Amino acid sequence: MLLVCRFTVPETDVPAFAERATKALELLTAQPGCRGGQVARSLDEPDLFVLTVEFDSVVAYRRALSPFEVREHVVPLLSEAVAEAAAFEPLLVADGGSVQVRTSLLASDAGTVRLGEAAGPAVPR
């Protein structure tokens, strides 16, 4: 599972943002199931930043957000991200010139099933 959060940060706020993002990366990457993360700055628009963190699974991601210190420091930072989808599942993964196709874990009707109706993906997307 990949977490992708974009931020618009004025130049005057960059040092404080970097400090908060450092703390967020320290806390998230210390959680079980977290593979790593980074913060990057746009080369074209210096006020745009992106935080990316990779987790073994959606369960690992949700558990990583549970500890008190993460809720205290990371969740407020994530709430300041640009309002757009932030959680993604890898479908094509490449390494060493080889591409692996992964099956979606979401059911084809995932967007229409109401709470209490889902039993698991019978047919992936």
Side-chain angles (χ1 to χ4, degrees), residues 1 3 8 12-13 17 23 26 34-35 40 45 47-48 78 106 108 112 116-117:
M1 205 234 64
L3 174 68
T8 301
T12 55
D13 296 342
F17 172 78
K23 181 74 170 175
E26 289 171 352
C34 184
R35 297 180 181 180
E45 297 183 45
D47 64 335
L48 293 181
L78 298 181
L106 295 176
S108 58
T112 62
E117 294 179 343

PDB file of all heavy atoms in Angstrom, residues 1 3 8 12-13 17 23 26 34-35 40 45 47-48 78 106 108 112 116-117:
ATOM      1  N   MET A   1       0.843  -1.160   0.000  1.00  0.00           N
ATOM      2  CA  MET A   1       0.000   0.000   0.000  1.00  0.00           C
ATOM      3  C   MET A   1       0.888   1.222   0.000  1.00  0.00           C
ATOM      4  O   MET A   1       1.891   1.249   0.693  1.00  0.00           O
ATOM      5  CB  MET A   1      -0.888  -0.021   1.252  1.00  0.00           C
ATOM      6  CG  MET A   1      -2.159   0.752   1.057  1.00  0.00           C
ATOM      7  SD  MET A   1      -2.539   2.046   2.256  1.00  0.00           S
ATOM      8  CE  MET A   1      -1.314   3.254   2.108  1.00  0.00           C
ATOM      9  N   LEU A   3       1.060   5.362   0.499  1.00  0.00           N
ATOM     10  CA  LEU A   3       0.453   6.606   0.968  1.00  0.00           C
ATOM     11  C   LEU A   3       1.141   7.745   0.231  1.00  0.00           C
ATOM     12  O   LEU A   3       2.374   7.837   0.243  1.00  0.00           O
ATOM     13  CB  LEU A   3       0.645   6.758   2.483  1.00  0.00           C
ATOM     14  CG  LEU A   3       0.190   8.075   3.102  1.00  0.00           C
ATOM     15  CD1 LEU A   3      -1.331   8.207   3.035  1.00  0.00           C
ATOM     16  CD2 LEU A   3       0.676   8.177   4.537  1.00  0.00           C
ATOM     17  N   THR A   8       1.238  22.019  -0.092  1.00  0.00           N
ATOM     18  CA  THR A   8       1.668  23.325  -0.584  1.00  0.00           C
ATOM     19  C   THR A   8       2.233  24.065   0.621  1.00  0.00           C
ATOM     20  O   THR A   8       1.521  24.293   1.605  1.00  0.00           O
ATOM     21  CB  THR A   8       0.482  24.105  -1.190  1.00  0.00           C
ATOM     22  OG1 THR A   8      -0.070  23.329  -2.253  1.00  0.00           O
ATOM     23  CG2 THR A   8       0.942  25.450  -1.729  1.00  0.00           C
ATOM     24  N   THR A  12       8.515  30.493   3.590  1.00  0.00           N
ATOM     25  CA  THR A  12       8.769  30.859   4.989  1.00  0.00           C
ATOM     26  C   THR A  12       8.422  29.722   5.955  1.00  0.00           C
ATOM     27  O   THR A  12       8.924  29.691   7.076  1.00  0.00           O
ATOM     28  CB  THR A  12       7.969  32.111   5.391  1.00  0.00           C
ATOM     29  OG1 THR A  12       6.581  31.879   5.124  1.00  0.00           O
ATOM     30  CG2 THR A  12       8.441  33.333   4.596  1.00  0.00           C
ATOM     31  N   ASP A  13       7.568  28.798   5.534  1.00  0.00           N
ATOM     32  CA  ASP A  13       7.136  27.696   6.401  1.00  0.00           C
ATOM     33  C   ASP A  13       7.905  26.399   6.169  1.00  0.00           C
ATOM     34  O   ASP A  13       7.655  25.401   6.858  1.00  0.00           O
ATOM     35  CB  ASP A  13       5.643  27.426   6.206  1.00  0.00           C
ATOM     36  CG  ASP A  13       4.769  28.590   6.626  1.00  0.00           C
ATOM     37  OD1 ASP A  13       5.257  29.467   7.379  1.00  0.00           O
ATOM     38  OD2 ASP A  13       3.599  28.634   6.202  1.00  0.00           O
ATOM     39  N   PHE A  17       7.835  22.870   8.333  1.00  0.00           N
ATOM     40  CA  PHE A  17       7.265  21.709   7.650  1.00  0.00           C
ATOM     41  C   PHE A  17       8.276  20.569   7.624  1.00  0.00           C
ATOM     42  O   PHE A  17       7.918  19.410   7.900  1.00  0.00           O
ATOM     43  CB  PHE A  17       6.844  22.075   6.220  1.00  0.00           C
ATOM     44  CG  PHE A  17       6.431  20.884   5.413  1.00  0.00           C
ATOM     45  CD1 PHE A  17       5.179  20.315   5.590  1.00  0.00           C
ATOM     46  CD2 PHE A  17       7.289  20.314   4.488  1.00  0.00           C
ATOM     47  CE1 PHE A  17       4.786  19.203   4.863  1.00  0.00           C
ATOM     48  CE2 PHE A  17       6.913  19.203   3.752  1.00  0.00           C
ATOM     49  CZ  PHE A  17       5.660  18.646   3.933  1.00  0.00           C
ATOM     50  N   LYS A  23       9.648  14.203  11.767  1.00  0.00           N
ATOM     51  CA  LYS A  23       9.027  13.486  12.887  1.00  0.00           C
ATOM     52  C   LYS A  23       8.014  12.467  12.368  1.00  0.00           C
ATOM     53  O   LYS A  23       7.952  11.326  12.849  1.00  0.00           O
ATOM     54  CB  LYS A  23       8.350  14.481  13.840  1.00  0.00           C
ATOM     55  CG  LYS A  23       7.694  13.863  15.038  1.00  0.00           C
ATOM     56  CD  LYS A  23       8.711  13.406  16.046  1.00  0.00           C
ATOM     57  CE  LYS A  23       8.043  13.009  17.351  1.00  0.00           C
ATOM     58  NZ  LYS A  23       8.976  12.450  18.299  1.00  0.00           N
ATOM     59  N   GLU A  26       9.900   9.509  10.942  1.00  0.00           N
ATOM     60  CA  GLU A  26      10.484   8.715  12.029  1.00  0.00           C
ATOM     61  C   GLU A  26       9.429   7.813  12.659  1.00  0.00           C
ATOM     62  O   GLU A  26       9.663   6.616  12.866  1.00  0.00           O
ATOM     63  CB  GLU A  26      11.089   9.630  13.096  1.00  0.00           C
ATOM     64  CG  GLU A  26      12.347  10.340  12.674  1.00  0.00           C
ATOM     65  CD  GLU A  26      12.793  11.408  13.665  1.00  0.00           C
ATOM     66  OE1 GLU A  26      12.056  11.718  14.629  1.00  0.00           O
ATOM     67  OE2 GLU A  26      13.893  11.945  13.462  1.00  0.00           O
ATOM     68  N   CYS A  34       5.848  -1.101   7.871  1.00  0.00           N
ATOM     69  CA  CYS A  34       6.223   0.059   7.064  1.00  0.00           C
ATOM     70  C   CYS A  34       7.545  -0.242   6.365  1.00  0.00           C
ATOM     71  O   CYS A  34       8.528  -0.605   7.012  1.00  0.00           O
ATOM     72  CB  CYS A  34       6.356   1.317   7.915  1.00  0.00           C
ATOM     73  SG  CYS A  34       6.717   2.781   6.916  1.00  0.00           S
ATOM     74  N   ARG A  35       7.567  -0.117   5.064  1.00  0.00           N
ATOM     75  CA  ARG A  35       8.762  -0.427   4.263  1.00  0.00           C
ATOM     76  C   ARG A  35       9.702   0.762   4.097  1.00  0.00           C
ATOM     77  O   ARG A  35      10.862   0.594   3.792  1.00  0.00           O
ATOM     78  CB  ARG A  35       8.336  -0.916   2.884  1.00  0.00           C
ATOM     79  CG  ARG A  35       7.548  -2.203   2.932  1.00  0.00           C
ATOM     80  CD  ARG A  35       7.161  -2.647   1.556  1.00  0.00           C
ATOM     81  NE  ARG A  35       6.380  -3.880   1.610  1.00  0.00           N
ATOM     82  CZ  ARG A  35       5.919  -4.491   0.550  1.00  0.00           C
ATOM     83  NH1 ARG A  35       6.148  -3.994  -0.655  1.00  0.00           N
ATOM     84  NH2 ARG A  35       5.219  -5.597   0.680  1.00  0.00           N
ATOM     85  N   ALA A  40       9.663  14.649  -0.743  1.00  0.00           N
ATOM     86  CA  ALA A  40      10.348  15.223  -1.898  1.00  0.00           C
ATOM     87  C   ALA A  40       9.748  16.590  -2.206  1.00  0.00           C
ATOM     88  O   ALA A  40       8.580  16.847  -1.918  1.00  0.00           O
ATOM     89  CB  ALA A  40      10.208  14.298  -3.107  1.00  0.00           C
ATOM     90  N   GLU A  45       7.976  23.567  -9.064  1.00  0.00           N
ATOM     91  CA  GLU A  45       7.218  24.462  -8.197  1.00  0.00           C
ATOM     92  C   GLU A  45       7.701  24.262  -6.766  1.00  0.00           C
ATOM     93  O   GLU A  45       7.265  23.343  -6.080  1.00  0.00           O
ATOM     94  CB  GLU A  45       5.722  24.169  -8.308  1.00  0.00           C
ATOM     95  CG  GLU A  45       5.177  24.408  -9.707  1.00  0.00           C
ATOM     96  CD  GLU A  45       3.690  24.176  -9.792  1.00  0.00           C
ATOM     97  OE1 GLU A  45       2.968  24.661  -8.893  1.00  0.00           O
ATOM     98  OE2 GLU A  45       3.264  23.514 -10.749  1.00  0.00           O
ATOM     99  N   ASP A  47       7.127  25.312  -3.937  1.00  0.00           N
ATOM    100  CA  ASP A  47       6.224  25.286  -2.786  1.00  0.00           C
ATOM    101  C   ASP A  47       5.439  23.977  -2.709  1.00  0.00           C
ATOM    102  O   ASP A  47       4.638  23.785  -1.799  1.00  0.00           O
ATOM    103  CB  ASP A  47       5.277  26.486  -2.795  1.00  0.00           C
ATOM    104  CG  ASP A  47       4.332  26.495  -3.983  1.00  0.00           C
ATOM    105  OD1 ASP A  47       4.670  25.904  -5.031  1.00  0.00           O
ATOM    106  OD2 ASP A  47       3.256  27.109  -3.870  1.00  0.00           O
ATOM    107  N   LEU A  48       5.670  23.036  -3.627  1.00  0.00           N
ATOM    108  CA  LEU A  48       4.989  21.743  -3.616  1.00  0.00           C
ATOM    109  C   LEU A  48       5.898  20.647  -3.065  1.00  0.00           C
ATOM    110  O   LEU A  48       7.045  20.499  -3.501  1.00  0.00           O
ATOM    111  CB  LEU A  48       4.534  21.357  -5.027  1.00  0.00           C
ATOM    112  CG  LEU A  48       3.450  22.217  -5.644  1.00  0.00           C
ATOM    113  CD1 LEU A  48       3.096  21.703  -7.034  1.00  0.00           C
ATOM    114  CD2 LEU A  48       2.207  22.244  -4.766  1.00  0.00           C
ATOM    115  N   LEU A  78      -0.893  15.082   8.150  1.00  0.00           N
ATOM    116  CA  LEU A  78      -1.585  14.509   6.993  1.00  0.00           C
ATOM    117  C   LEU A  78      -2.879  15.261   6.692  1.00  0.00           C
ATOM    118  O   LEU A  78      -3.284  15.368   5.532  1.00  0.00           O
ATOM    119  CB  LEU A  78      -1.875  13.029   7.214  1.00  0.00           C
ATOM    120  CG  LEU A  78      -0.661  12.113   7.386  1.00  0.00           C
ATOM    121  CD1 LEU A  78      -1.114  10.668   7.561  1.00  0.00           C
ATOM    122  CD2 LEU A  78       0.312  12.248   6.226  1.00  0.00           C
ATOM    123  N   LEU A 106      -9.276  -4.998  -4.114  1.00  0.00           N
ATOM    124  CA  LEU A 106     -10.613  -4.409  -4.028  1.00  0.00           C
ATOM    125  C   LEU A 106     -11.572  -5.167  -4.944  1.00  0.00           C
ATOM    126  O   LEU A 106     -11.235  -5.484  -6.083  1.00  0.00           O
ATOM    127  CB  LEU A 106     -10.595  -2.940  -4.433  1.00  0.00           C
ATOM    128  CG  LEU A 106      -9.805  -2.010  -3.521  1.00  0.00           C
ATOM    129  CD1 LEU A 106      -9.781  -0.608  -4.093  1.00  0.00           C
ATOM    130  CD2 LEU A 106     -10.390  -2.004  -2.125  1.00  0.00           C
ATOM    131  N   SER A 108     -14.792  -5.629  -7.421  1.00  0.00           N
ATOM    132  CA  SER A 108     -15.289  -4.780  -8.502  1.00  0.00           C
ATOM    133  C   SER A 108     -16.458  -3.916  -8.046  1.00  0.00           C
ATOM    134  O   SER A 108     -16.710  -2.864  -8.610  1.00  0.00           O
ATOM    135  CB  SER A 108     -15.689  -5.626  -9.706  1.00  0.00           C
ATOM    136  OG  SER A 108     -16.669  -6.572  -9.335  1.00  0.00           O
ATOM    137  N   THR A 112     -19.830   0.380  -4.286  1.00  0.00           N
ATOM    138  CA  THR A 112     -21.283   0.350  -4.155  1.00  0.00           C
ATOM    139  C   THR A 112     -21.769  -0.414  -2.934  1.00  0.00           C
ATOM    140  O   THR A 112     -22.932  -0.325  -2.576  1.00  0.00           O
ATOM    141  CB  THR A 112     -21.920  -0.300  -5.402  1.00  0.00           C
ATOM    142  OG1 THR A 112     -21.460  -1.648  -5.501  1.00  0.00           O
ATOM    143  CG2 THR A 112     -21.560   0.463  -6.658  1.00  0.00           C
ATOM    144  N   GLY A 116     -21.404  -3.399   6.315  1.00  0.00           N
ATOM    145  CA  GLY A 116     -22.051  -4.627   6.769  1.00  0.00           C
ATOM    146  C   GLY A 116     -22.417  -5.592   5.665  1.00  0.00           C
ATOM    147  O   GLY A 116     -22.810  -6.711   5.916  1.00  0.00           O
ATOM    148  N   GLU A 117     -22.283  -5.164   4.412  1.00  0.00           N
ATOM    149  CA  GLU A 117     -22.638  -6.026   3.287  1.00  0.00           C
ATOM    150  C   GLU A 117     -21.449  -6.767   2.703  1.00  0.00           C
ATOM    151  O   GLU A 117     -21.617  -7.770   2.024  1.00  0.00           O
ATOM    152  CB  GLU A 117     -23.284  -5.217   2.168  1.00  0.00           C
ATOM    153  CG  GLU A 117     -24.623  -4.632   2.535  1.00  0.00           C
ATOM    154  CD  GLU A 117     -25.225  -3.813   1.403  1.00  0.00           C
ATOM    155  OE1 GLU A 117     -24.501  -3.436   0.469  1.00  0.00           O
ATOM    156  OE2 GLU A 117     -26.432  -3.569   1.473  1.00  0.00           O
TER     157      GLU A 117
END
